[in-house]
Amino acid sequence: MRRVSLLAKVDLDTCIGCKTCERVCPTLTIKVKDRKAVVDEQRCTGCGGCEQRCPVFAIKLVERDDPYTIEFKIVPEMKDKVDELCRKAKFHPEQIICYCTETRAEEVAAAVLAGNDTPEKISAATGIRTGCKIECVQPILRILNAAGITPEKPEGYQWYGLTPTLWDINEDVKKRYSDGGFRFDDDIEVFEKVINAKK
Amino acid sequence: MRKPIPPAKPKKSQYGIDPNLLKKRMAELPGITSVTVKELFPDTPDVIYPSEAGKEAIREATIKSLENVDMSMIKPENSVNICASHHGFTLLGGEAYTEMLKTVRDEIIRRTGCRNVRLRAGVGMRLRETEEYIKAFKLDEYFEGKAKGVAPIDKGIPIETEIGTLYGLNAIYDADFVVHCHNSDVREVHFHRQVDRAVKPFGMSYARAETRSTYHQNLGPRGANFTARAIFNSEFVQKKFAFATFLNMSPAGVVGVVSDNDLYKLNEKLTFDGLKYYGKIITLFGQLSDCIVGLDFPCPVPYVFASGVIYANFVSANVDLFNLESLAPYTWYTESFYGKDGKPLIPEIPPVNPKIKMVIHNYAWSGYPSAFFSTHTPTIVVGREQADLMSRCPMNAKYMDHAVIADTLDAAMEFAYKVTGTDKVLIFDGAAGGINVSESLAKEMLEKAPIVAEKVDNELMPIWLKQRGIDPLALAK
């Protein structure tokens, strides 16, 4: 769940149309048209990605007149499928996968099962990845992957690809670095306990 | 009663309140005194900074540390990126780290004839933070217009590693060579657990969001530290890596500057030094009784400093953070393992330090997801402006759901004393060389420090070193 109280505003006199904002927006709600950035005000989540990366400081975050909340409701009939998808992606359904918005795996899984098939659509549907925009990209990609979906990559830098998890580290790597303090198998054990926790 | 040590000055930043709104520092409260690190632990090494020599001591130490570093791979026609991180600028006002960066640049130019030396300074989650430091320390002028702040959502570059594809920042690697300039304070020991501390920025400040997400979501609370090693070991990075230079830190300040072409050799030394220098103060923090905590430093909530240790470490100090057997009470992994009822999903997740009875947020920045802290410890935020700052932050929409507001610091303290029933106060305000505390807590720290020191030297240090595969005798050779 994400409360949205801010909105990106572009100073058109300062904007140089470089498209940096477009390339970092996690919900694809800012686009450059006729060499000027245009915000879809209805859908902007006020995450500040564009404001923070604009090279000429043409974007500011302002208070919205119409604050709103983004939340994807899980319908009870979906619960079993949601839980199954979370666990397939190696998450407990209640596990928090976005620390800024406290979005849990089950909300993202439900959004995926409802047809949101890219990280951008999932961010727009749940609010995930609209805080820091950094830490939760892999859980989203993992849940999509577990659902058998290969998302279409946007033209910008929103995300590049799925990366390894603990379960992908082969025995040879584990053995070679066994005295380094990495404790791969201990961490797998912790994860497995969490994934299978009864709640 | 000794006078408090002057706290770190507030900084003008888009991530904090206007310094003019900060009416009173916690060190000005009645009954606050100070204890130096040296008083607590007499074997604390002498520091070169802060000292009377000022930043010149850093320049001299940096030049000396570079004497045995091979720079012959860098030719006059090459380009070099000096890679830096935001954390260094938060240490002791930032002057020491800045001077180290400038000196490394000057020495590269002097010794190789290469003039295309750029600064690439990475960030955490405050994506313009190093831009602010570059401006404040006039680094863009010093680097002749070639200084740049880089962020994890900037253009990336794939890096093939032995565990699969990870992603670095294009601007970090867009030179023929990279020079890694960092600091050794244990800082986020709750995350890195003092495993590959010197390598970590390759998986963090210099990395794309995908890689950082791998660290904090995919590889586990201890396994995550392999992320940086995987990237650093890659053929791509090895071809570009020239050398590393570090401020070697202790809780009292800068012990020295160390440089090496072999990052792992440097890593082993800094891992050992970090355990030795910080092990005692963090263990002592874990022994303290009930107290009120003050946040009063220009950094986000978990990163405010007391005697070189950040608040996030105190939140986890009820567990031995250096012992790899245990899980830390605060990391993003443990945060993620709390269910909807507010309880951990598994019993192995330890609670946050129960000795923290109340937190006074007198001055700390936004720009880091901090709701975990206000959820788990009663928190009073001083001033409406600061509360609004947190609520406006996209990473902290829920921080104020769990905190209350006091108009003044005095009102907050009056409430805290009354409700907690303790007069013990521990202030995270960046006081250099020591720590500002209430008289009662100073007494307790001085009484407990010798016992803690003995335990660390004789009991804990051998365990910590063994778990990291470090042989102190081999290191000494």
Side-chain angles (χ1 to χ4, degrees):
Chain A
M1 189 182 84
R2 165 86 148 83
R3 282 199 297 269
V4 179
S5 60
L6 301 175
L7 170 68
K9 279 277 182 194
V10 181
D11 176 350
L12 295 178
D13 293 334
T14 310
C15 176
I16 55 171
C18 69
K19 294 192 175 182
T20 300
C21 53
E22 190 178 307
R23 290 179 180 125
V24 301
C25 179
T27 49
L28 308 179
T29 52
I30 187 164
K31 298 268 184 201
V32 173
K33 288 174 192 161
D34 300 327
R35 298 193 173 194
K36 296 291 173 191
V38 179
V39 179
D40 179 344
E41 296 193 357
Q42 287 265 302
R43 294 175 56 242
C44 172
T45 65
C47 76
C50 54
E51 179 259 345
Q52 288 284 295
R53 299 321 291 151
C54 175
V56 293
F57 299 85
I59 303 172
K60 284 192 167 51
L61 291 179
V62 298
E63 299 285 341
R64 293 187 82 99
D65 295 332
D66 55 344
Y68 69 102
T69 298
I70 309 174
E71 184 178 13
F72 197 90
K73 298 273 187 200
I74 305 164
V75 290
E77 306 85 74
M78 287 178 77
K79 188 79 176 80
D80 288 347
K81 283 191 173 174
V82 164
D83 286 3
E84 189 187 338
L85 180 55
C86 289
R87 291 196 165 94
K88 195 175 172 195
K90 308 277 190 193
F91 292 111
H92 186 282
E94 290 193 19
Q95 200 172 326
I96 292 170
I97 56 171
C98 176
Y99 309 113
C100 302
T101 60
E102 292 181 22
T103 305
R104 296 179 190 275
E106 60 183 9
E107 192 179 342
V108 170
V112 169
L113 290 169
N116 293 285
D117 59 0
T118 67
E120 291 64 43
K121 287 180 191 170
I122 292 165
S123 293
T126 66
I128 191 171
R129 203 171 54 123
T130 62
C132 72
K133 303 159 284 293
I134 302 166
E135 307 301 346
C136 53
V137 65
Q138 287 308 320
I140 298 172
L141 292 170
R142 280 167 58 185
I143 292 172
L144 281 167
N145 186 52
I149 296 167
T150 305
E152 189 183 340
K153 203 183 159 320
E155 285 176 18
Y157 318 142
Q158 282 83 358
W159 56 273
Y160 284 89
L162 197 64
T163 57
T165 68
L166 265 177
W167 294 271
D168 298 319
I169 296 179
N170 66 43
E171 292 304 317
D172 177 52
V173 169
K174 286 182 192 172
K175 199 174 165 188
R176 266 191 288 131
Y177 298 100
S178 61
D179 65 348
F182 300 113
R183 307 231 165 188
F184 299 117
D185 288 334
D186 290 344
D187 281 356
I188 287 177
E189 196 181 315
V190 172
F191 273 158
E192 299 280 4
K193 277 185 187 169
V194 169
I195 294 162
N196 298 311
K198 302 277 179 223
K199 234 179 199 184
Chain B
M1 198 171 94
R2 181 210 298 277
K3 279 185 179 174
I5 299 165
K9 289 179 185 159
K11 280 183 187 160
K12 192 170 164 43
S13 167
Q14 63 185 287
Y15 306 106
I17 54 167
D18 180 340
N20 292 322
L21 293 168
L22 181 58
K23 302 297 180 197
K24 187 173 184 174
R25 305 302 298 273
M26 296 198 70
E28 297 169 40
L29 289 166
I32 298 299
T33 183
S34 57
V35 189
T36 66
V37 179
K38 201 92 173 170
E39 281 174 317
L40 293 168
F41 304 110
D43 62 345
T44 295
D46 292 332
V47 298
I48 62 166
Y49 186 97
S51 72
E52 283 180 8
K55 63 183 181 183
E56 192 52 39
I58 299 294
R59 179 162 285 267
E60 274 179 30
T62 306
I63 292 171
K64 194 165 180 356
S65 80
L66 289 168
E67 279 173 3
N68 294 322
V69 166
D70 177 17
M71 297 188 195
S72 64
M73 72 293 275
I74 302 170
K75 308 295 180 201
E77 64 274 20
N78 285 145
S79 53
V80 178
N81 281 350
I82 292 180
C83 303
S85 302
H86 59 302
H87 288 311
F89 297 103
T90 69
L91 295 169
L92 304 165
E95 193 184 48
Y97 187 61
T98 302
E99 192 61 21
M100 186 185 86
L101 295 173
K102 287 178 175 177
T103 310
V104 170
R105 173 194 178 270
D106 294 346
E107 283 297 284
I108 292 171
I109 292 172
R110 185 182 70 80
R111 286 175 51 181
T112 70
C114 171
R115 289 206 64 86
N116 192 3
V117 182
R118 305 94 156 252
L119 177 68
R120 298 286 192 253
V123 295
M125 296 168 142
R126 296 154 304 288
L127 305 186
R128 289 202 194 272
E129 187 176 354
T130 52
E131 289 177 24
E132 291 185 351
Y133 298 132
I134 285 169
K135 193 176 170 193
F137 292 107
K138 297 186 167 51
L139 282 165
D140 198 36
E141 290 166 38
Y142 203 87
F143 278 76
E144 298 173 341
K146 295 171 187 167
K148 188 176 181 178
V150 296
I153 61 170
D154 291 349
K155 187 179 179 185
I157 184 164
I159 299 174
E160 299 310 320
T161 79
E162 58 190 314
I163 57 170
T165 309
L166 294 168
Y167 298 87
L169 289 171
N170 188 66
I172 287 287
Y173 297 107
D174 67 357
D176 298 315
F177 294 100
V178 296
V179 172
H180 171 38
C181 289
H182 207 63
N183 52 277
S184 72
D185 73 319
V186 299
R187 193 174 300 246
E188 293 166 314
V189 66
H190 49 288
F191 286 146
H192 63 68
R193 308 300 296 273
Q194 199 64 359
V195 171
D196 273 5
R197 168 73 181 99
V199 190
K200 191 183 172 205
F202 285 91
M204 203 54 56
S205 311
Y206 311 158
R208 265 280 310 180
E210 291 78 10
T211 299
R212 294 167 69 147
S213 184
T214 307
Y215 184 99
H216 287 298
Q217 304 263 16
N218 282 10
L219 294 187
R222 292 155 292 196
N225 294 302
F226 194 72
T227 315
R229 183 173 280 244
I231 289 185
F232 181 72
N233 283 356
S234 69
E235 195 183 341
F236 175 76
V237 174
Q238 284 299 305
K239 273 186 183 167
K240 287 179 181 285
F241 178 73
F243 63 91
T245 298
F246 271 64
L247 284 182
N248 193 4
M249 302 297 299
S250 86
V254 183
V255 174
V257 179
V258 288
S259 299
D260 211 302
N261 293 101
D262 183 343
L263 183 58
Y264 289 122
K265 196 171 145 199
L266 201 66
N267 183 54
E268 194 148 294
K269 175 184 166 43
L270 295 174
T271 301
F272 178 86
D273 287 356
L275 293 169
K276 190 171 157 61
Y277 299 157
Y278 289 89
K280 288 177 185 170
I281 189 79
I282 291 182
T283 305
L284 175 61
F285 274 12
Q287 301 291 316
L288 300 180
S289 49
D290 291 357
C291 65
I292 298 163
V293 168
L295 314 179
D296 203 7
F297 184 87
C299 261
V301 169
Y303 292 107
V304 297
F305 278 99
S307 59
V309 174
I310 62 170
Y311 172 58
N313 298 160
F314 190 50
V315 167
S316 293
N318 49 318
V319 163
D320 179 358
L321 284 175
F322 296 108
N323 188 329
L324 298 173
E325 294 287 341
S326 51
L327 296 173
Y330 169 68
T331 73
W332 279 335
Y333 285 107
T334 44
E335 180 173 349
S336 81
F337 298 157
Y338 278 82
K340 287 191 280 193
D341 61 1
K343 292 177 183 159
L345 294 166
I346 55 170
E348 287 85 347
I349 304 305
V352 299
N353 188 350
K355 305 296 182 185
I356 303 171
K357 292 300 168 193
M358 194 162 284
V359 174
I360 310 299
H361 177 148
N362 190 49
Y363 175 55
W365 289 359
S366 60
Y368 182 97
S370 303
F372 179 84
F373 301 102
S374 60
T375 304
H376 287 266
T377 50
T379 301
I380 307 178
V381 175
V382 179
R384 169 69 62 184
E385 297 87 353
Q386 196 149 230
D388 290 346
L389 175 87
M390 295 304 283
S391 295
R392 273 180 60 94
C393 171
M395 296 171 231
N396 282 298
K398 293 185 179 175
Y399 185 81
M400 289 309 299
D401 286 359
H402 309 283
V404 296
I405 306 172
D407 285 339
T408 65
L409 173 60
D410 291 325
M413 289 307 294
E414 191 187 330
F415 180 77
Y417 286 134
K418 209 177 283 177
V419 170
T420 64
T422 178
D423 67 346
K424 292 181 177 169
V425 182
L426 175 56
I427 304 174
F428 288 78
D429 64 1
I435 182 165
N436 289 326
V437 288
S438 62
E439 201 173 354
S440 52
L441 197 59
K443 191 166 171 278
E444 183 182 334
M445 290 178 96
L446 288 164
E447 278 170 9
K448 288 180 173 172
I451 304 161
V452 164
E454 196 184 334
K455 185 177 178 182
V456 170
D457 285 338
N458 301 324
E459 190 185 320
L460 300 179
M461 198 63 183
I463 297 170
W464 298 340
L465 291 172
K466 192 176 175 194
Q467 288 180 345
R468 290 159 182 81
I470 296 174
D471 176 358
L473 295 175
L475 195 62
K477 281 179 195 167

